[in-house]
Amino acid sequence: IAYAPVGSVKKGEALAKAGQCTLCHGPDLKGIGPVPPIAGRSPSYMMRQMYDMQQDMRKGLWTGLMKPVVAPLSQEDLLDLVAYVASRTP
């Protein structure tokens, strides 16, 4: 995002708030109902999950909702998002 502050965590925060992360995972990314919490999760785990969703390698129950969200994201966007998510308190 061109208007985001410099730095992966700040860019990731801007992407999370502009995207649909908080809509399903909650404003604090701690999950809502059956939607899992993602705050504080391992960056490598989160990167792998989103990459697998983009590549149609993940077929979980909620993948259908996530695929259109992660599909347009670049690798840099994904890195920024996982930096932000990992920085949050679980």
Side-chain angles (χ1 to χ4, degrees):
I1 296 178
Y3 61 88
V6 176
S8 292
V9 173
K10 287 293 185 187
K11 288 185 200 174
E13 181 179 17
L15 282 167
K17 290 180 178 180
Q20 297 176 338
C21 299
T22 57
L23 180 65
C24 293
H25 293 281
D28 55 6
L29 303 178
K30 294 183 181 180
I32 297 176
V35 179
I38 56 175
R41 291 264 174 123
S42 159
S44 60
Y45 171 80
M46 293 299 301
M47 185 70 173
R48 187 67 205 196
Q49 298 306 310
M50 290 191 291
Y51 177 81
D52 285 352
M53 287 176 204
Q54 280 185 327
Q55 303 304 312
D56 205 27
M57 300 286 291
R58 189 147 190 252
K59 306 287 186 191
L61 181 63
W62 300 99
T63 304
L65 295 173
M66 284 290 301
K67 188 163 174 68
V69 174
V70 298
L73 299 175
S74 69
Q75 226 175 18
E76 183 179 342
D77 291 340
L78 293 177
L79 287 170
D80 294 339
L81 275 169
V82 300
Y84 172 66
V85 168
S87 77
R88 308 312 306 153
T89 302

